[in-house]
């Protein structure tokens, strides 16, 4: 019996979830050190910031008290796990054809009528994808997250890392400057947080026990999402 979710997908799903939680909570602690965002190469005066990030309570941060050094240690450790696991997942998904079979959108799916029908089905809480593992909106959102947001988090994180910036200064310049990379890093983190919240809500609305069993045990290929 073919599994709905391959072992590589399930392992990466849960490891990625853990990494995102730790990275977010340690990142909030780092943000508390200087909660202002700038564009360009330099920025340190709040009056020149384009945005002020709220100061986060200790119960939302790792560690649960202000410590920039410890927060950075957590952040760097899990950033490496996050990046390497994403690479391993991409290679496995190319090998088992998960990308080509389940995530690639076809030309016919980009027509206005099917897209509107998919949106209408979601608004009525109907998530089944007839003849496919995922419907168009799922493919589109997963594709943006996997191929755009997650790699962008890694690249911007490297650009604002002092060590990486010293070795590959061109990366920060390509992103508009080190402070621009930091702003993009925060925006991407907010987008991923929003996606995660939406993902959890949709799982709760579409049968959480079945979804959880499938993502832990694999499920059956013929089961609907």
């Amino acid at each position: 019996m073919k599994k709905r979710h391959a072992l590589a997908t399930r392992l990466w799903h849960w490891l990625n979830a853990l990494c995102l939680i730790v990275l977010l909570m340690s990142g909030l602690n780092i943000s508390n050190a200087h909660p202002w965002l700038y564009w360009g190469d330099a920025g340190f005066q709040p009056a020149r910031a384009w945005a002020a990030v709220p100061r986060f309570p200790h119960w939302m941060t790792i560690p649960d008290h202000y410590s920039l050094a410890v927060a950075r240690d957590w952040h760097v450790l899990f950033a490496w796990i996050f990046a390497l696991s994403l690479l391993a997942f991409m290679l496995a998904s190319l090998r088992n054809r998960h990308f080509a079979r389940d995530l690639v959108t076809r030309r016919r799916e980009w027509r206005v009528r099917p897209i509107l029908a998919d949106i209408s089905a979601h608004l009525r809480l109907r998530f089944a994808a007839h003849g496919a593992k995922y419907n168009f909106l799922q493919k589109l959102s997963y594709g943006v997250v996997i191929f755009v947001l997650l790699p962008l988090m890694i690249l911007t994180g490297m650009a604002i890392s002092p060590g990486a910036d010293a070795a590959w200064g061109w990366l920060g310049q390509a992103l508009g400057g080190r402070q621009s990379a930091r702003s993009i890093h925060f925006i991407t983190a907010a987008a991923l947080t929003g996606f995660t919240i939406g993902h959890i809500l949709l799982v709760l609305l579409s049968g959480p026990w079945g979804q959880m069993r499938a993502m832990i045990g694999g499920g059956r290929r013929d089961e609907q999402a």
Side-chain angles (χ1 to χ4, degrees):
M1 180 183 68
K2 289 186 177 181
K3 296 289 189 180
R4 176 174 178 78
H5 300 295
L7 179 60
T9 300
R10 286 176 276 146
L11 290 175
W12 176 74
H13 175 275
W14 295 113
L15 182 58
N16 186 63
L18 173 63
C19 287
L20 287 176
I21 291 171
V22 175
L23 287 170
L24 175 63
M25 295 180 71
S26 57
L28 297 183
N29 202 320
I30 295 171
S31 171
N32 283 344
H34 190 80
W36 292 278
L37 302 175
Y38 311 88
W39 294 113
D41 277 318
F44 59 93
Q45 296 178 350
R48 295 178 178 268
W50 70 270
V53 180
R55 187 170 293 278
F56 299 97
H58 293 320
W59 62 266
M60 294 180 64
T61 68
I62 293 178
D64 62 353
H65 58 276
Y66 176 72
S67 175
L68 184 58
V70 175
R72 281 177 170 168
D73 288 342
W74 279 94
H75 208 71
V76 171
L77 173 61
F78 276 82
W80 272 106
I81 301 172
F82 171 75
L84 293 176
S85 66
L86 178 61
L87 177 61
F89 166 71
M90 287 183 165
L91 293 175
S93 296
L94 286 173
R95 180 181 175 84
N96 63 24
R97 302 193 71 253
H98 174 49
F99 285 159
R101 184 182 60 244
D102 301 321
L103 296 179
V104 173
T105 55
R106 314 301 175 187
R107 180 178 298 181
R108 64 179 181 275
E109 296 178 282
W110 285 92
R111 297 198 300 267
V112 174
R113 184 173 294 180
I115 294 175
L116 292 178
D118 212 3
I119 294 173
S120 176
H122 271 72
L123 292 176
R124 289 176 290 163
L125 305 182
R126 297 178 181 175
F127 308 109
H130 301 291
K133 183 175 178 179
Y134 300 124
N135 58 48
F136 173 79
L137 293 181
Q138 288 173 318
K139 291 180 181 179
L140 182 62
S141 59
Y142 292 153
V144 169
V145 168
I146 294 171
F147 297 108
V148 179
L149 296 184
L150 296 183
L152 191 58
M153 282 292 290
I154 295 169
L155 292 175
T156 53
M158 292 170 61
I160 61 179
S161 168
D165 182 53
W168 305 308
W170 57 268
L171 181 57
Q173 294 304 312
L175 293 166
R178 193 160 181 265
Q179 290 298 330
S180 295
R182 181 172 177 264
S183 290
I184 297 171
H185 195 71
F186 271 75
I187 293 170
T188 307
L192 284 172
T193 302
F195 168 82
T196 302
I197 293 172
H199 177 67
I200 292 172
L201 289 176
L202 289 175
V203 167
L204 293 175
L205 291 171
S206 61
W209 301 119
Q211 299 277 25
M212 289 289 288
R213 283 198 305 269
M215 191 50 71
I216 293 173
R220 297 194 313 272
R221 182 70 188 174
D222 58 351
E223 288 179 331
Q224 293 294 339

